[in-house]
Amino acid sequence: MTQTELPTSDQEDLRLLRESARTLFERAGGSGRSRKLRDSGGGWDADMIHELAEAGVFGVTVPEENGGLGMGLAAGGVIAEEVGRVIAPEPVVVTVGLSLGLLRRLCPDHAKMEQLVGGETVLAVAWQERGPNGGPAEASCRYADGKLTGGKAWVVGASSAQGFLVVAQGDAGPVLVLAQAGADGLSVDARRQADGSAMGELSFSGTPAEQLASGDTVQDALADAVSDTTALAAAELVGLSARAFEITLEYIKTREQFDKPIGSFQVIQHRAVDLNVMCEVAQSGVREALGLMDGEADPKVRARLASRAKARAVTAAKKITRDAIQLHGAVGYTDEFDIGLYLNRALVLSAWLGDDAYHRRLWFMAREAEGAA
Amino acid sequence: MTQTELPTSDQEDLRLLRESARTLFERAGGSGRSRKLRDSGGGWDADMIHELAEAGVFGVTVPEENGGLGMGLAAGGVIAEEVGRVIAPEPVVVTVGLSLGLLRRLCPDHAKMEQLVGGETVLAVAWQERGPNGGPAEASCRYADGKLTGGKAWVVGASSAQGFLVVAQGDAGPVLVLAQAGADGLSVDARRQADGSAMGELSFSGTPAEQLASGDTVQDALADAVSDTTALAAAELVGLSARAFEITLEYIKTREQFDKPIGSFQVIQHRAVDLNVMCEVAQSGVREALGLMDGEADPKVRARLASRAKARAVTAAKKITRDAIQLHGAVGYTDEFDIGLYLNRALVLSAWLGDDAYHRRLWFMAREAEGAA
Amino acid sequence: MMTDWNAMSDADFRKEVRGFFEAEYPEELRNLPHRPKFAEIAHWHRKLHAKGWVAPAWPAEYGGMGLNAAKLLIFYEEQQRWGVNRGRDMGVQMVGPLIIKFGTQEQKDYWLPRILSCEDIWCQGYSEPGAGSDLANLRTRAEIDGDDFVINGQKIWTTMAHDATHIFMLVRTDPDAPKKQQGISFLLAPMDQSGVEVRTITTLSGETEFCEVFFDNARTPRENLVGELNKGWTMAKALLSFERIFIGSPSLAQNALGQLESFARGRGAFDDPVFRDRFAQAALDVEDHAALYARFADQLKRGETLGADVSMLKIWVTECFQRITELMIEAAGPDGGTIGPLQVGNVGVDVLSSFYKARPGTIYGGSNEIQRNILSKAVLGLPG
Amino acid sequence: MMTDWNAMSDADFRKEVRGFFEAEYPEELRNLPHRPKFAEIAHWHRKLHAKGWVAPAWPAEYGGMGLNAAKLLIFYEEQQRWGVNRGRDMGVQMVGPLIIKFGTQEQKDYWLPRILSCEDIWCQGYSEPGAGSDLANLRTRAEIDGDDFVINGQKIWTTMAHDATHIFMLVRTDPDAPKKQQGISFLLAPMDQSGVEVRTITTLSGETEFCEVFFDNARTPRENLVGELNKGWTMAKALLSFERIFIGSPSLAQNALGQLESFARGRGAFDDPVFRDRFAQAALDVEDHAALYARFADQLKRGETLGADVSMLKIWVTECFQRITELMIEAAGPDGGTIGPLQVGNVGVDVLSSFYKARPGTIYGGSNEIQRNILSKAVLGLPG
């Protein structure tokens, strides 16, 4: 029944990790800091990257022998929740889930591992491609003779990254290569997102890149890293939702209309209860899914669990942030109140790596495949 | 914009028709009469059939030269709404939509027309078949040498009808034939429905039957009659929903908890408002659809309009009757209050001829086909 | 000597319980779709009684198993897993704990063994026509007359009263108390007397498990007062604390989901991607609810007291259960209005019966509206 | 002489209006995604003015078209159909009717022509930080001082105040009135004075159409009081009656649906049956809403007064509009968080902007919660 039941010592570790991450973000200014970064044009704060690295955040799932904390995805989720609570723009989930997710599986001894864990560099990961109708398409970006040709889409943090991990088609199957920001023949078309962040479309014409790994293991590692990232994004949404709910609860306790707090109206109360229940279900479901992923080796099962997490987290975050705007009334529609920042961040995180309907479809298909196997 | 705008004289005709149908049903005992019939084992009241016939109900859409009122589907909808309001078990929609819908298109001079319009006989229509997994299947019931072989499913009113209009495969394409109740080799397996009515599965082994029509016109007439019936069933659900809402509104005004009417609690009020809005949208949408069907000759467009009507009506009726039970609290769950009868009738009418999800699918496909044409 | 179940490991204990149910519980009684009369399950009850397992939560000294919270959850989980009927357990679940906590030694000595043996079969007289969500609004009066209380009034929604020998009830003993929660007492009364009349209530599905009970100068001896006079309300509330997690247990929804899945598969409903999506929503709603349930269950197992927030389990799961049964109706297509089992493969699934069964969950046990009121104030701290 | 538009057949009138818009309305202003400043639409306004069509609802004697309800609806329907911007119409829609109904002859002579010519551009000062859903709770004071009113306080959500020359406002003129709906007056005031400060409010989408307006001993001549002193509340309510159907018009949702359909088609979202089902739901929600809207419009055309039940249009359509834009986000898949137009075929669809645009509908113009309160009492007759 309670498959996620952890030994008490592990639970205690997670509690400490949560506390230290929360303290770190709150000291740095909480969501106010995130607002300032957005107002100054997006991107992230280099000092914060270093602080996070010092706290071990980026290496949370990296084995201790590679300089990480050697904890699991559940621990990564704890950190992601805290990132979500303050809508921090730093690429924690991308780094933990994708960049390090790929490197630790494919080339754990590469120097970039240490640099990423240590916050000395930030890489963006380019693995998806856009088709003619604007949606995702089969990969066609090629790597040959040390050079990349083609394009990649939906690269998170493309404007600020110091380099790109690119999954491309090599002569003998898939490869993982590293291209430097500003390399020859590399152009980055960055589109601003609702939360102020930049999502990039890359195009390569003979861009030099270093090969890090090749063969089917690249696809396998990518699939598993995407599962991790999807689950971590779900955790980030859970933290975001929880905080958005708290902010809203506080607001309806103080905002008065008709000479009483709007939170004294039964309709508002019941809506708040429903959001609260939604938050708690999402938190429990997502935490359980991440915990189960830690104990699971089969990548297909891990993918199903990640889809479970993201489906739930997106459903909850959409509902909570949208209702939060309504409960705030007119001020919710302004940029002056933080709640709008949460809505905007939720829009971005929900769209990234697939929304709830998408992941319900994957979840069902995975479940059917397991049943048939 | 207001495509359904009827000439004032037609609107007045419909108003009078509505009034006379309502008076007729109310005088006969309203929903109380329906409850008694259910308690005595289902079926309908022969006297009521005669009264309805005298009021012209069955012939509402039959041309005047065939003894009908010569009105349109909109008028049929008015009557169906009134049937729904008192959850009358008499087969008004089946007779108007299916039995007479087939006969008036295929053999308007057949003697059964007059008998049906005059309430002297009631026929059930057997046109669907059940496949091996329990769902609908391709037709395989055959008619040859004056005899039927095979089976039919989901025959409404199978236990009480005096005969069956059967759509079967003849030697040269589809045929419409008439088999008498109790004919040789005919067995009826009747399953009781939630509302106390009987739904029959027929099986024929060399059952004698009279051929009424043959050829592709049979399929065309069937499709169009099914559209009519679907739209009329939607109207019946609209009437049912409106009355279920009225009953519930009355209840929450009088039922007290915590020393005040439960209808004074804001949460209950808003829910009542939502049900009310749902009722009104359904009524307008369904009436508009039926009105448009009257002015439309293309059977595909008529089918789309019927799907629009049924999709809306089922969505509304499900929501309204289920919420009505909740608003009634514990007594809503008993058979002592009428609201349960409305829930049960809504279950049957929703399942019959396809529910909302089913009709949304048909609607979308029809719309795409029109767009492509 | 008595076994000290709590000393066993959880795994061993689960194995023990599972083994007993699997070996001894009659196949024909698994997942009974209705509430049985006692006669129907008497044979099983006798087996349980012989084993000493009738009252898992009661202290051993009173004939119970004396399970702690962790073991108790395991016991119930296994019971649900195997589809073991809970029997006529109002005596064990409600009256017994009440007497153990508030009763006199004489009351304990007399009533507890009779509960365990099912010599007495109990029903619960709480709700009244004017006291549903507002339970404290009850009007059934009990007045002292010599050695007896004389009872007048009416109870309603009394589950299986027509198959009970006794009723435990909340009655108004001081009509002049300043607040309606005061002046209420807890009485035990025999059903077999001329002043008590039972009428079954037919539900909209045609079932007759609920009853009305009319009291017309019915009598019960004064010694059948449990606890202090006029303090019944507080006692009744105290009884509910451990119950609150069970009313939010995922089992009903999980069972319904399993039924939905096999039905939908048999009927080919999974060919429709729209249906698949809605099934996935429902299934994930149940999975994630179970995760939340596990969190509360862990609290119990750690010996913590559950807060008012546990009510969220009930809100979520009862509504989820309803949606699942609504999907069954949808999957049934043109058979969605048909009473009785619908054939899929070799088994019959009664979709309408499941649909009906899911209805009362949002109404009884504190309607979901009441639960939301409670959460709003007690958990979210909203005013007014 | 003036044309008597009402004497024309509906069809002829519609043709006339349609023809003018199609021929004269600048292509680049069709379906403007933002509220324009006056300069942006001045050219079009001059055309309208020359045609005498600035104020369709005003009586001809004041320079309006004098349309009856039926013709007015046609005018607006065609305006929406062709994506004609309503311009800076607060003067025409709100101030003009107010002055026509309650103003003095001097006020009419002075203000009305300036409204038609847009020499004065008006904004509406109703809402205040403490007076949103509870509009009557307003605190902005106006006190008589010699020949002027002196105004102190703050207005908020004042649309386009930064591009207005005048404000019409509800102010408190008797703070001691026994009910808060009393003691409110209707004032006209110039914006271009030192006592008035305007700050734009940035919305969560980055737009700056809304403003805060601060009054610090701002002045307006006493003759700018419209109607009786302290009777402003009743006047403001009277103004809203005809407006109520427009706030529930299907046009925004219909336009969004069209946008959704072409976007979804271009993106291949219709390949997904789940998306198709949700699109069908939304499309049918709009169609059936339009049928209900037509019912109310028919009432108006028959010369009947609309009851409080017309509010249901607004509730339904604003929520429907939101769902449609949420589907756009879904159809955008991984681009769902991207600002600005997303390419489909040769056109760009700005899904986020549509999503944001749909948000305020359920909040402004009487939030949907307030509308439900009103319907509950005024239409359903529910107590309390």
Side-chain angles (χ1 to χ4, degrees), chain A residues 249-272:
Chain A
L249 184 60
E250 200 48 48
Y251 183 76
I252 65 175
K253 283 181 183 174
T254 49
R255 166 72 173 171
E256 296 202 350
Q257 293 277 278
F258 305 102
D259 302 320
K260 45 185 186 173
I262 60 172
S264 63
F265 291 96
Q266 199 192 22
V267 157
I268 306 295
Q269 294 181 339
H270 283 209
R271 205 172 312 166

PDB file of all heavy atoms in Angstrom, chain A residues 249-272:
ATOM      1  N   LEU A 249      -4.647  31.997  -0.427  1.00  0.00           N
ATOM      2  CA  LEU A 249      -5.335  31.823   0.854  1.00  0.00           C
ATOM      3  C   LEU A 249      -5.147  33.064   1.724  1.00  0.00           C
ATOM      4  O   LEU A 249      -6.088  33.584   2.334  1.00  0.00           O
ATOM      5  CB  LEU A 249      -4.794  30.575   1.556  1.00  0.00           C
ATOM      6  CG  LEU A 249      -5.457  30.185   2.875  1.00  0.00           C
ATOM      7  CD1 LEU A 249      -6.946  29.904   2.659  1.00  0.00           C
ATOM      8  CD2 LEU A 249      -4.786  28.944   3.470  1.00  0.00           C
ATOM      9  N   GLU A 250      -3.921  33.532   1.753  1.00  0.00           N
ATOM     10  CA  GLU A 250      -3.612  34.738   2.521  1.00  0.00           C
ATOM     11  C   GLU A 250      -4.446  35.915   2.004  1.00  0.00           C
ATOM     12  O   GLU A 250      -5.022  36.677   2.778  1.00  0.00           O
ATOM     13  CB  GLU A 250      -2.104  35.041   2.367  1.00  0.00           C
ATOM     14  CG  GLU A 250      -1.524  35.933   3.408  1.00  0.00           C
ATOM     15  CD  GLU A 250      -1.929  35.492   4.807  1.00  0.00           C
ATOM     16  OE1 GLU A 250      -1.825  34.273   5.141  1.00  0.00           O
ATOM     17  OE2 GLU A 250      -2.375  36.374   5.557  1.00  0.00           O
ATOM     18  N   TYR A 251      -4.508  36.005   0.693  1.00  0.00           N
ATOM     19  CA  TYR A 251      -5.228  37.134   0.097  1.00  0.00           C
ATOM     20  C   TYR A 251      -6.708  37.105   0.455  1.00  0.00           C
ATOM     21  O   TYR A 251      -7.286  38.123   0.852  1.00  0.00           O
ATOM     22  CB  TYR A 251      -5.058  37.123  -1.429  1.00  0.00           C
ATOM     23  CG  TYR A 251      -5.724  38.304  -2.084  1.00  0.00           C
ATOM     24  CD1 TYR A 251      -5.145  39.577  -2.026  1.00  0.00           C
ATOM     25  CD2 TYR A 251      -6.955  38.170  -2.721  1.00  0.00           C
ATOM     26  CE1 TYR A 251      -5.768  40.669  -2.599  1.00  0.00           C
ATOM     27  CE2 TYR A 251      -7.583  39.269  -3.295  1.00  0.00           C
ATOM     28  CZ  TYR A 251      -6.988  40.509  -3.226  1.00  0.00           C
ATOM     29  OH  TYR A 251      -7.612  41.599  -3.788  1.00  0.00           O
ATOM     30  N   ILE A 252      -7.347  35.959   0.338  1.00  0.00           N
ATOM     31  CA  ILE A 252      -8.792  35.929   0.601  1.00  0.00           C
ATOM     32  C   ILE A 252      -9.110  36.076   2.081  1.00  0.00           C
ATOM     33  O   ILE A 252     -10.238  36.367   2.451  1.00  0.00           O
ATOM     34  CB  ILE A 252      -9.485  34.653   0.032  1.00  0.00           C
ATOM     35  CG1 ILE A 252      -8.979  33.395   0.724  1.00  0.00           C
ATOM     36  CG2 ILE A 252      -9.304  34.563  -1.481  1.00  0.00           C
ATOM     37  CD1 ILE A 252      -9.727  32.136   0.275  1.00  0.00           C
ATOM     38  N   LYS A 253      -8.102  35.907   2.911  1.00  0.00           N
ATOM     39  CA  LYS A 253      -8.328  36.170   4.346  1.00  0.00           C
ATOM     40  C   LYS A 253      -8.323  37.660   4.640  1.00  0.00           C
ATOM     41  O   LYS A 253      -8.896  38.106   5.640  1.00  0.00           O
ATOM     42  CB  LYS A 253      -7.253  35.490   5.189  1.00  0.00           C
ATOM     43  CG  LYS A 253      -7.463  33.998   5.350  1.00  0.00           C
ATOM     44  CD  LYS A 253      -6.363  33.400   6.229  1.00  0.00           C
ATOM     45  CE  LYS A 253      -6.541  31.893   6.313  1.00  0.00           C
ATOM     46  NZ  LYS A 253      -5.431  31.244   7.026  1.00  0.00           N
ATOM     47  N   THR A 254      -7.627  38.433   3.821  1.00  0.00           N
ATOM     48  CA  THR A 254      -7.470  39.854   4.147  1.00  0.00           C
ATOM     49  C   THR A 254      -8.318  40.764   3.272  1.00  0.00           C
ATOM     50  O   THR A 254      -8.802  41.790   3.719  1.00  0.00           O
ATOM     51  CB  THR A 254      -5.993  40.268   4.005  1.00  0.00           C
ATOM     52  OG1 THR A 254      -5.505  39.802   2.742  1.00  0.00           O
ATOM     53  CG2 THR A 254      -5.154  39.626   5.091  1.00  0.00           C
ATOM     54  N   ARG A 255      -8.499  40.400   2.008  1.00  0.00           N
ATOM     55  CA  ARG A 255      -9.240  41.251   1.096  1.00  0.00           C
ATOM     56  C   ARG A 255     -10.714  41.309   1.534  1.00  0.00           C
ATOM     57  O   ARG A 255     -11.358  40.274   1.687  1.00  0.00           O
ATOM     58  CB  ARG A 255      -9.137  40.684  -0.316  1.00  0.00           C
ATOM     59  CG  ARG A 255     -10.105  41.262  -1.320  1.00  0.00           C
ATOM     60  CD  ARG A 255      -9.756  42.675  -1.695  1.00  0.00           C
ATOM     61  NE  ARG A 255     -10.602  43.155  -2.790  1.00  0.00           N
ATOM     62  CZ  ARG A 255     -10.626  44.409  -3.206  1.00  0.00           C
ATOM     63  NH1 ARG A 255      -9.860  45.321  -2.618  1.00  0.00           N
ATOM     64  NH2 ARG A 255     -11.406  44.772  -4.190  1.00  0.00           N
ATOM     65  N   GLU A 256     -11.217  42.521   1.693  1.00  0.00           N
ATOM     66  CA  GLU A 256     -12.609  42.655   2.121  1.00  0.00           C
ATOM     67  C   GLU A 256     -13.495  43.178   1.005  1.00  0.00           C
ATOM     68  O   GLU A 256     -13.100  44.025   0.210  1.00  0.00           O
ATOM     69  CB  GLU A 256     -12.704  43.608   3.327  1.00  0.00           C
ATOM     70  CG  GLU A 256     -11.985  43.066   4.540  1.00  0.00           C
ATOM     71  CD  GLU A 256     -12.486  43.666   5.846  1.00  0.00           C
ATOM     72  OE1 GLU A 256     -13.257  44.643   5.793  1.00  0.00           O
ATOM     73  OE2 GLU A 256     -12.093  43.151   6.896  1.00  0.00           O
ATOM     74  N   GLN A 257     -14.678  42.649   0.929  1.00  0.00           N
ATOM     75  CA  GLN A 257     -15.737  43.145   0.049  1.00  0.00           C
ATOM     76  C   GLN A 257     -17.023  42.975   0.840  1.00  0.00           C
ATOM     77  O   GLN A 257     -17.170  42.008   1.584  1.00  0.00           O
ATOM     78  CB  GLN A 257     -15.818  42.328  -1.249  1.00  0.00           C
ATOM     79  CG  GLN A 257     -14.619  42.488  -2.158  1.00  0.00           C
ATOM     80  CD  GLN A 257     -14.696  43.724  -3.049  1.00  0.00           C
ATOM     81  OE1 GLN A 257     -15.314  43.762  -4.067  1.00  0.00           O
ATOM     82  NE2 GLN A 257     -14.035  44.802  -2.606  1.00  0.00           N
ATOM     83  N   PHE A 258     -17.949  43.914   0.688  1.00  0.00           N
ATOM     84  CA  PHE A 258     -19.185  43.883   1.466  1.00  0.00           C
ATOM     85  C   PHE A 258     -18.886  43.782   2.952  1.00  0.00           C
ATOM     86  O   PHE A 258     -19.538  43.048   3.693  1.00  0.00           O
ATOM     87  CB  PHE A 258     -20.081  42.723   1.003  1.00  0.00           C
ATOM     88  CG  PHE A 258     -20.376  42.755  -0.471  1.00  0.00           C
ATOM     89  CD1 PHE A 258     -19.707  41.917  -1.353  1.00  0.00           C
ATOM     90  CD2 PHE A 258     -21.289  43.661  -0.990  1.00  0.00           C
ATOM     91  CE1 PHE A 258     -19.958  41.961  -2.727  1.00  0.00           C
ATOM     92  CE2 PHE A 258     -21.542  43.712  -2.357  1.00  0.00           C
ATOM     93  CZ  PHE A 258     -20.883  42.867  -3.220  1.00  0.00           C
ATOM     94  N   ASP A 259     -17.860  44.483   3.366  1.00  0.00           N
ATOM     95  CA  ASP A 259     -17.486  44.590   4.781  1.00  0.00           C
ATOM     96  C   ASP A 259     -17.065  43.293   5.440  1.00  0.00           C
ATOM     97  O   ASP A 259     -17.138  43.162   6.671  1.00  0.00           O
ATOM     98  CB  ASP A 259     -18.630  45.232   5.591  1.00  0.00           C
ATOM     99  CG  ASP A 259     -18.967  46.608   5.039  1.00  0.00           C
ATOM    100  OD1 ASP A 259     -18.023  47.340   4.671  1.00  0.00           O
ATOM    101  OD2 ASP A 259     -20.166  46.932   4.948  1.00  0.00           O
ATOM    102  N   LYS A 260     -16.685  42.305   4.663  1.00  0.00           N
ATOM    103  CA  LYS A 260     -16.064  41.136   5.289  1.00  0.00           C
ATOM    104  C   LYS A 260     -15.044  40.521   4.333  1.00  0.00           C
ATOM    105  O   LYS A 260     -15.102  40.760   3.131  1.00  0.00           O
ATOM    106  CB  LYS A 260     -17.095  40.109   5.760  1.00  0.00           C
ATOM    107  CG  LYS A 260     -18.200  39.804   4.796  1.00  0.00           C
ATOM    108  CD  LYS A 260     -19.199  38.854   5.484  1.00  0.00           C
ATOM    109  CE  LYS A 260     -20.259  38.387   4.499  1.00  0.00           C
ATOM    110  NZ  LYS A 260     -21.132  37.362   5.056  1.00  0.00           N
ATOM    111  N   PRO A 261     -14.135  39.750   4.914  1.00  0.00           N
ATOM    112  CA  PRO A 261     -13.119  39.129   4.058  1.00  0.00           C
ATOM    113  C   PRO A 261     -13.808  38.249   3.012  1.00  0.00           C
ATOM    114  O   PRO A 261     -14.791  37.567   3.342  1.00  0.00           O
ATOM    115  CB  PRO A 261     -12.304  38.255   5.009  1.00  0.00           C
ATOM    116  CG  PRO A 261     -12.681  38.662   6.370  1.00  0.00           C
ATOM    117  CD  PRO A 261     -14.001  39.326   6.323  1.00  0.00           C
ATOM    118  N   ILE A 262     -13.323  38.264   1.792  1.00  0.00           N
ATOM    119  CA  ILE A 262     -13.995  37.438   0.785  1.00  0.00           C
ATOM    120  C   ILE A 262     -13.878  35.952   1.131  1.00  0.00           C
ATOM    121  O   ILE A 262     -14.704  35.155   0.734  1.00  0.00           O
ATOM    122  CB  ILE A 262     -13.477  37.713  -0.652  1.00  0.00           C
ATOM    123  CG1 ILE A 262     -11.984  37.441  -0.796  1.00  0.00           C
ATOM    124  CG2 ILE A 262     -13.780  39.139  -1.082  1.00  0.00           C
ATOM    125  CD1 ILE A 262     -11.505  37.526  -2.242  1.00  0.00           C
ATOM    126  N   GLY A 263     -12.873  35.623   1.945  1.00  0.00           N
ATOM    127  CA  GLY A 263     -12.731  34.240   2.393  1.00  0.00           C
ATOM    128  C   GLY A 263     -13.801  33.802   3.376  1.00  0.00           C
ATOM    129  O   GLY A 263     -13.808  32.662   3.827  1.00  0.00           O
ATOM    130  N   SER A 264     -14.721  34.704   3.715  1.00  0.00           N
ATOM    131  CA  SER A 264     -15.824  34.287   4.585  1.00  0.00           C
ATOM    132  C   SER A 264     -17.043  33.896   3.758  1.00  0.00           C
ATOM    133  O   SER A 264     -18.034  33.425   4.320  1.00  0.00           O
ATOM    134  CB  SER A 264     -16.182  35.398   5.563  1.00  0.00           C
ATOM    135  OG  SER A 264     -16.650  36.530   4.863  1.00  0.00           O
ATOM    136  N   PHE A 265     -16.980  34.069   2.445  1.00  0.00           N
ATOM    137  CA  PHE A 265     -18.086  33.630   1.596  1.00  0.00           C
ATOM    138  C   PHE A 265     -17.937  32.142   1.289  1.00  0.00           C
ATOM    139  O   PHE A 265     -16.864  31.675   0.925  1.00  0.00           O
ATOM    140  CB  PHE A 265     -18.120  34.439   0.294  1.00  0.00           C
ATOM    141  CG  PHE A 265     -18.521  35.868   0.508  1.00  0.00           C
ATOM    142  CD1 PHE A 265     -17.568  36.862   0.652  1.00  0.00           C
ATOM    143  CD2 PHE A 265     -19.863  36.210   0.621  1.00  0.00           C
ATOM    144  CE1 PHE A 265     -17.939  38.180   0.888  1.00  0.00           C
ATOM    145  CE2 PHE A 265     -20.246  37.529   0.853  1.00  0.00           C
ATOM    146  CZ  PHE A 265     -19.279  38.517   0.987  1.00  0.00           C
ATOM    147  N   GLN A 266     -19.038  31.428   1.442  1.00  0.00           N
ATOM    148  CA  GLN A 266     -18.968  29.967   1.337  1.00  0.00           C
ATOM    149  C   GLN A 266     -18.456  29.491  -0.024  1.00  0.00           C
ATOM    150  O   GLN A 266     -17.700  28.522  -0.108  1.00  0.00           O
ATOM    151  CB  GLN A 266     -20.346  29.365   1.628  1.00  0.00           C
ATOM    152  CG  GLN A 266     -20.284  27.883   1.985  1.00  0.00           C
ATOM    153  CD  GLN A 266     -21.659  27.240   1.995  1.00  0.00           C
ATOM    154  OE1 GLN A 266     -22.604  27.728   1.380  1.00  0.00           O
ATOM    155  NE2 GLN A 266     -21.776  26.129   2.706  1.00  0.00           N
ATOM    156  N   VAL A 267     -18.857  30.186  -1.061  1.00  0.00           N
ATOM    157  CA  VAL A 267     -18.417  29.770  -2.394  1.00  0.00           C
ATOM    158  C   VAL A 267     -16.898  29.889  -2.523  1.00  0.00           C
ATOM    159  O   VAL A 267     -16.242  29.022  -3.111  1.00  0.00           O
ATOM    160  CB  VAL A 267     -19.133  30.612  -3.470  1.00  0.00           C
ATOM    161  CG1 VAL A 267     -18.352  30.623  -4.765  1.00  0.00           C
ATOM    162  CG2 VAL A 267     -20.548  30.088  -3.698  1.00  0.00           C
ATOM    163  N   ILE A 268     -16.360  30.957  -1.967  1.00  0.00           N
ATOM    164  CA  ILE A 268     -14.911  31.149  -1.998  1.00  0.00           C
ATOM    165  C   ILE A 268     -14.240  30.091  -1.118  1.00  0.00           C
ATOM    166  O   ILE A 268     -13.202  29.524  -1.481  1.00  0.00           O
ATOM    167  CB  ILE A 268     -14.549  32.569  -1.496  1.00  0.00           C
ATOM    168  CG1 ILE A 268     -15.309  33.641  -2.290  1.00  0.00           C
ATOM    169  CG2 ILE A 268     -13.053  32.800  -1.549  1.00  0.00           C
ATOM    170  CD1 ILE A 268     -14.951  33.722  -3.739  1.00  0.00           C
ATOM    171  N   GLN A 269     -14.838  29.821   0.004  1.00  0.00           N
ATOM    172  CA  GLN A 269     -14.272  28.825   0.917  1.00  0.00           C
ATOM    173  C   GLN A 269     -14.187  27.455   0.258  1.00  0.00           C
ATOM    174  O   GLN A 269     -13.161  26.779   0.326  1.00  0.00           O
ATOM    175  CB  GLN A 269     -15.129  28.734   2.183  1.00  0.00           C
ATOM    176  CG  GLN A 269     -15.087  30.010   3.012  1.00  0.00           C
ATOM    177  CD  GLN A 269     -15.909  29.913   4.273  1.00  0.00           C
ATOM    178  OE1 GLN A 269     -16.820  29.080   4.380  1.00  0.00           O
ATOM    179  NE2 GLN A 269     -15.610  30.758   5.252  1.00  0.00           N
ATOM    180  N   HIS A 270     -15.277  27.056  -0.343  1.00  0.00           N
ATOM    181  CA  HIS A 270     -15.261  25.717  -0.949  1.00  0.00           C
ATOM    182  C   HIS A 270     -14.279  25.648  -2.110  1.00  0.00           C
ATOM    183  O   HIS A 270     -13.645  24.624  -2.328  1.00  0.00           O
ATOM    184  CB  HIS A 270     -16.670  25.326  -1.404  1.00  0.00           C
ATOM    185  CG  HIS A 270     -17.545  24.897  -0.267  1.00  0.00           C
ATOM    186  ND1 HIS A 270     -18.570  24.006  -0.401  1.00  0.00           N
ATOM    187  CD2 HIS A 270     -17.535  25.236   1.045  1.00  0.00           C
ATOM    188  CE1 HIS A 270     -19.151  23.819   0.769  1.00  0.00           C
ATOM    189  NE2 HIS A 270     -18.555  24.562   1.657  1.00  0.00           N
ATOM    190  N   ARG A 271     -14.161  26.758  -2.836  1.00  0.00           N
ATOM    191  CA  ARG A 271     -13.196  26.726  -3.925  1.00  0.00           C
ATOM    192  C   ARG A 271     -11.787  26.611  -3.360  1.00  0.00           C
ATOM    193  O   ARG A 271     -10.956  25.873  -3.887  1.00  0.00           O
ATOM    194  CB  ARG A 271     -13.340  27.961  -4.820  1.00  0.00           C
ATOM    195  CG  ARG A 271     -12.824  27.663  -6.208  1.00  0.00           C
ATOM    196  CD  ARG A 271     -13.099  28.750  -7.221  1.00  0.00           C
ATOM    197  NE  ARG A 271     -14.468  29.221  -7.200  1.00  0.00           N
ATOM    198  CZ  ARG A 271     -14.879  30.342  -7.796  1.00  0.00           C
ATOM    199  NH1 ARG A 271     -14.014  31.091  -8.465  1.00  0.00           N
ATOM    200  NH2 ARG A 271     -16.137  30.707  -7.738  1.00  0.00           N
ATOM    201  N   ALA A 272     -11.536  27.326  -2.280  1.00  0.00           N
ATOM    202  CA  ALA A 272     -10.220  27.233  -1.646  1.00  0.00           C
ATOM    203  C   ALA A 272      -9.956  25.805  -1.166  1.00  0.00           C
ATOM    204  O   ALA A 272      -8.852  25.281  -1.316  1.00  0.00           O
ATOM    205  CB  ALA A 272     -10.128  28.223  -0.486  1.00  0.00           C
TER     206      ALA A 272
END
